[in-house]
Amino acid sequence: MENLISLVNKIQRACTALGDHGENTALPTLWDSLPAIAVVGGQSSGKSSVLESVVGKDFLPRGSGIVTRRPLVLQLHKLEEGSREYAEFLHLPRKRFTDFVAVRKEIQDETDRETGRTKQISTVPIHLSIYSPNVVNLTLIDLPGLTKVAVEGQPDSIVKDIEDMVRSYIEKPNCIILAISPANQDLATSDAIKISREVDPTGERTIGVLTKIDLMDKGTDAVDMLEGRAYRLKFPWIGVVNRSQQDINKNVDMIAARRREREYFNSTPEYKHLAHRMGSEHLAKMLSKHLETVIKSKIPGIQSLINKTIAELEAELTRLGKPVAADAGGKLYSIMEICRSFDQIFKDHLDGVRPGGDKIYNVFDNQLPAALKRLQFDKQLSMENIRKLITEADGYQPHLIAPEQGYRRLIESSLITIRGPAEAAVDAVHALLKDLVHKAISETVDLKQYPGLRVEVGAAAVDSLERMRDESKRATLQLVDMECGYLTVDFFRKLPQDVDKGGNPTHSIFDRYNDSYLRRIGTTILSYVNMVCATLRHSIPKSIVYCQVREAKRSLLDHFFTDLGKMETKRLSSLLNEDPAIMERRSALAKRLELYRSAQAEIDAVAWSK
């Protein structure tokens, strides 16, 4: 099974490379959920010496004042015996450092690149990985030393700024606090203990380290502190003996320094009984073991966060849409697929799968009949108009049986008014179809991704609807005109029966145009017109459905598809232009999703193998 700490180190590096390390965001990230050890201490407390002892190399900048001005995320990776040691920085991914003096210089240079050659601090961390057979798998975060006063060249806020930075790391529940305190100072004044107590009052996450034990005044010792009587933590205190400044100046190597440290604890009567759990070697092993234990306990929570985040990332990627194809064929296919999605949504509205189609039925079932009913034939069928048209139709010779031409003119003048409701029904359906087009566009997710294509599809659909409206209006009005142009034979066959009751060819022409006779003509014509209205009430919707609704379902974007086939690649590309911010966001989400899926697979494998 892959070492848990190595796995976490790997995931942390990937998180950092993608900017998914919880900085500048209130949202929990995978980085936040992974346990790490933050090294906290006051200035000159021996933090750097402890870290170098754990690593076994001189690699940290040294000097007076604030030397560590940026967080240093230090990941240690144990190699097989005999392997060559090297270091890598995340900001220089293809460069290996085998000279640790160069590592120190790069830390200084990278700090200066971020803060300038000043004594300012920065919250942007430096990420350093060290590969060596002489280390244990471990992740440590070295933080700037806590200070009580600002020195020359530093802003007055430096004290609070450093404390806020340290607190932002150690207050996270998954952070293990390595509190470094010098043994030759009172624990009550220890900056590390003070701040760790505030964020971890029970001491559950704090591991105490005493430095400079060998520098205590003669006649004093640190036994009470190391045995937890001075200040108790959940874990035993660990004492270390760092190299002296003279050793550093003489370049005494770490192997010799560790040997001297072991000899000091074994040979000093006060600490002999504690020697088995003292020293930097024990500290490194204990931290590695403890970190692995903590990681194991956090696996269920980590898995839950990963699963939740994967679902959220997938949902957002779906909302943002698919990336644009690079080649012309791919672009054309993408556009066609998006158009088909829109077309299907439009059809769903018409067919009742989505709301909207019922409004078209309302035009046929309510609006058209009401409009026909509101038609007033009083003007066309008034006594004066009937007399006028009948007389004019007879010309110089009175009609013999029935005023056929008069009937035709009266019927035509009445039926022509039906054109208004018929035209209004066509326009009403056209307006509803346009509304459904706009709804379908707004409901087509992929069209939101491409504003240019959205405008083109909308315009093409409306153009098609306008052509269909014009054709529907022509066909529908033609139905009315047909009724005006031809009267049914059955109607005329009934007229002689009415002649016997009303007019008589032997009467004078003036008697034949009396009011009773003219009213009977008006009643007959009104009956015929009502019969035609009843017929048109059913045939007008048929015409509209055939020419507009059915045609819109069948060929709404046919003209657009024809135009697409003639478009050049540049024009196709312009249709698929999207906001650069969306493209960048999609790319970042895809990379992050890949990271989380990889982490999910690896952590699940570890969880199942336990």
Side-chain angles (χ1 to χ4, degrees):
M1 180 183 74
E2 183 178 12
N3 184 281
L4 272 175
I5 299 176
S6 295
L7 173 58
V8 169
N9 284 351
K10 176 182 175 183
I11 295 172
Q12 284 175 327
R13 286 198 305 279
C15 287
T16 305
L18 294 180
D20 192 51
H21 42 70
E23 293 175 21
N24 303 319
T25 176
L27 299 174
T29 65
L30 182 52
W31 171 272
D32 291 329
S33 71
L34 298 173
I37 301 171
V39 185
V40 182
Q43 286 185 30
S44 303
S45 61
K47 274 193 318 98
S48 295
S49 294
V50 170
L51 285 171
E52 288 185 332
S53 295
V54 169
V55 176
K57 287 289 180 182
D58 290 313
F59 69 98
L60 293 174
R62 293 183 178 275
S64 59
I66 300 178
V67 178
T68 304
R69 292 183 285 123
R70 290 175 62 181
L72 175 67
V73 179
L74 177 62
Q75 294 182 325
L76 306 181
H77 307 268
K78 185 173 181 61
L79 299 178
E80 294 180 359
E81 290 296 329
S83 300
R84 189 178 184 182
E85 297 174 310
Y86 65 93
E88 286 182 343
F89 288 94
L90 187 65
H91 64 273
L92 298 171
R94 289 178 292 276
K95 185 174 181 180
R96 286 190 177 187
F97 291 79
T98 55
D99 181 359
F100 282 80
V101 174
V103 171
R104 178 188 295 123
K105 185 177 185 306
E106 181 57 32
I107 293 174
Q108 291 173 327
D109 292 345
E110 178 62 15
T111 299
D112 291 342
R113 281 191 283 269
E114 181 67 27
T115 63
R117 293 184 177 276
T118 66
K119 294 182 180 180
Q120 300 286 339
I121 64 169
S122 170
T123 59
V124 180
I126 298 172
H127 292 264
L128 172 63
S129 294
I130 294 178
Y131 300 82
S132 170
N134 302 318
V135 299
V136 293
N137 290 307
L138 201 56
T139 296
L140 299 163
I141 304 172
D142 184 24
L143 298 168
L146 296 161
T147 184
K148 292 183 173 62
V149 294
V151 299
E152 187 178 350
Q154 294 176 343
D156 294 337
S157 64
I158 191 76
V159 176
K160 185 176 185 303
D161 291 344
I162 292 176
E163 183 176 327
D164 289 345
M165 183 196 301
V166 171
R167 196 182 296 275
S168 70
Y169 280 89
I170 66 175
E171 66 187 1
K172 294 175 181 176
N174 290 318
C175 180
I176 301 165
I177 305 167
L178 190 63
I180 310 293
S181 301
N184 58 355
Q185 293 180 13
D186 189 345
L187 271 183
T189 65
S190 168
D191 296 309
I193 292 300
K194 176 179 177 295
I195 196 169
S196 64
R197 182 186 294 172
E198 292 175 5
V199 299
D200 181 32
T202 62
E204 296 286 322
R205 297 188 289 115
T206 304
I207 296 174
V209 177
L210 283 179
T211 62
K212 304 185 179 181
I213 291 177
D214 56 326
L215 301 182
M216 295 181 72
D217 292 339
K218 289 184 178 180
T220 63
D221 61 57
V223 173
D224 283 350
M225 289 184 281
L226 292 174
E227 291 185 345
R229 289 192 291 272
Y231 183 75
R232 180 172 294 278
L233 295 170
K234 179 181 178 181
F235 304 99
W237 282 79
I238 298 173
V240 297
V241 175
N242 298 327
R243 290 180 300 166
S244 65
Q245 189 60 48
Q246 184 178 6
D247 289 339
I248 294 171
N249 294 338
K250 290 182 178 181
N251 291 322
V252 174
D253 65 32
M254 289 297 177
I255 296 175
R258 286 177 177 176
R259 186 172 61 250
R260 288 185 186 180
E261 184 182 46
R262 286 195 300 270
E263 290 173 356
Y264 175 82
F265 284 113
N266 284 321
S267 62
T268 304
E270 292 84 356
Y271 306 122
K272 194 172 183 179
H273 67 292
L274 300 172
H276 65 284
R277 60 178 181 84
M278 295 292 116
S280 54
E281 283 185 287
H282 172 76
L283 173 63
K285 291 176 182 177
M286 189 278 289
L287 288 176
S288 181
K289 184 176 180 181
H290 178 61
L291 182 58
E292 188 159 350
T293 301
V294 172
I295 291 171
K296 284 181 181 178
S297 69
K298 300 292 183 180
I299 282 179
I302 295 171
Q303 289 174 309
S304 176
L305 173 66
I306 289 175
N307 293 337
K308 180 182 177 184
T309 306
I310 286 175
E312 291 172 352
L313 291 172
E314 288 175 337
E316 187 169 358
L317 277 172
T318 299
R319 183 181 62 80
L320 291 177
K322 299 174 183 177
V324 182
D327 60 296
K331 292 179 189 296
L332 181 59
Y333 177 79
S334 297
I335 293 173
M336 295 287 284
E337 284 298 296
I338 293 170
C339 290
R340 288 190 185 100
S341 296
F342 155 76
D343 198 44
Q344 185 57 52
I345 292 173
F346 176 73
K347 290 176 181 176
D348 288 346
H349 279 291
L350 290 176
D351 293 337
V353 178
R354 297 170 186 250
D358 55 309
K359 293 182 179 179
I360 294 175
Y361 175 72
N362 183 60
V363 172
F364 301 149
D365 196 49
N366 293 308
Q367 293 181 30
L368 177 61
L372 292 174
K373 194 172 183 179
R374 284 194 301 270
L375 287 176
Q376 298 294 326
F377 300 112
D378 295 346
K379 181 180 178 182
Q380 288 82 7
L381 301 181
S382 65
M383 297 297 293
E384 294 77 8
N385 195 51
I386 293 174
R387 178 179 285 109
K388 177 176 178 293
L389 289 183
I390 292 292
T391 303
E392 289 176 352
D394 280 349
Y396 71 90
Q397 182 173 327
H399 60 270
L400 298 177
I401 300 174
E404 182 179 330
Q405 292 302 322
Y407 270 102
R408 290 184 183 281
R409 291 182 185 181
L410 284 168
I411 290 172
E412 183 177 348
S413 65
S414 298
L415 290 181
I416 203 72
T417 60
I418 301 177
R419 290 173 65 97
E423 198 166 0
V426 171
D427 290 335
V429 171
H430 174 72
L432 291 174
L433 290 173
K434 278 178 64 176
D435 286 343
L436 293 184
V437 162
H438 296 317
K439 278 187 179 181
I441 286 175
S442 67
E443 292 169 10
T444 305
V445 176
D446 290 336
L447 281 178
K448 296 178 183 178
Q449 184 178 344
Y450 308 111
L453 181 59
R454 183 169 66 244
V455 171
E456 291 286 340
V457 169
V462 171
D463 284 347
S464 290
L465 290 180
E466 287 175 354
R467 283 193 295 270
M468 294 169 192
R469 177 196 58 189
D470 294 343
E471 174 60 26
S472 179
K473 192 168 291 187
R474 186 192 65 77
T476 302
L477 294 180
Q478 205 170 49
L479 288 177
V480 179
D481 294 342
M482 288 175 186
E483 294 291 348
C484 296
Y486 182 76
L487 278 70
T488 58
V489 176
D490 288 344
F491 176 76
F492 284 106
R493 285 175 177 165
K494 295 176 182 177
L495 288 181
Q497 300 172 17
D498 296 331
V499 170
D500 292 341
K501 298 174 184 175
N504 190 320
T506 62
H507 291 178
S508 69
I509 188 170
F510 301 104
D511 292 336
R512 297 182 65 191
Y513 296 113
N514 62 43
D515 289 351
S516 175
Y517 180 65
L518 295 176
R519 270 195 297 271
R520 188 171 292 107
I521 291 175
T523 301
T524 304
I525 291 173
L526 182 60
S527 176
Y528 182 81
V529 169
N530 286 335
M531 179 189 72
V532 171
C533 283
T535 301
L536 289 175
R537 176 182 171 178
H538 299 292
S539 57
I540 287 173
K542 290 180 180 180
S543 173
I544 292 174
V545 168
Y546 183 83
C547 295
Q548 286 175 268
V549 181
R550 180 174 172 274
E551 194 63 17
K553 284 179 65 177
R554 189 183 69 82
S555 61
L556 184 64
L557 293 180
D558 279 7
H559 284 81
F560 182 63
F561 289 153
T562 301
D563 293 340
L564 275 178
K566 301 174 184 176
M567 286 184 188
E568 296 179 355
T569 304
K570 187 175 180 180
R571 176 72 175 128
L572 291 173
S573 298
S574 69
L575 292 179
L576 293 177
N577 277 345
E578 61 178 336
D579 188 342
I582 293 178
M583 297 173 67
E584 186 177 342
R585 177 65 176 162
R586 184 190 298 108
S587 177
L589 287 173
K591 290 178 181 177
R592 192 175 173 207
L593 180 59
E594 184 180 359
L595 161 66
Y596 274 72
R597 283 175 174 164
S598 175
Q600 180 188 51
E602 294 186 25
I603 290 178
D604 285 351
V606 170
W608 280 104
S609 64
K610 287 195 299 181

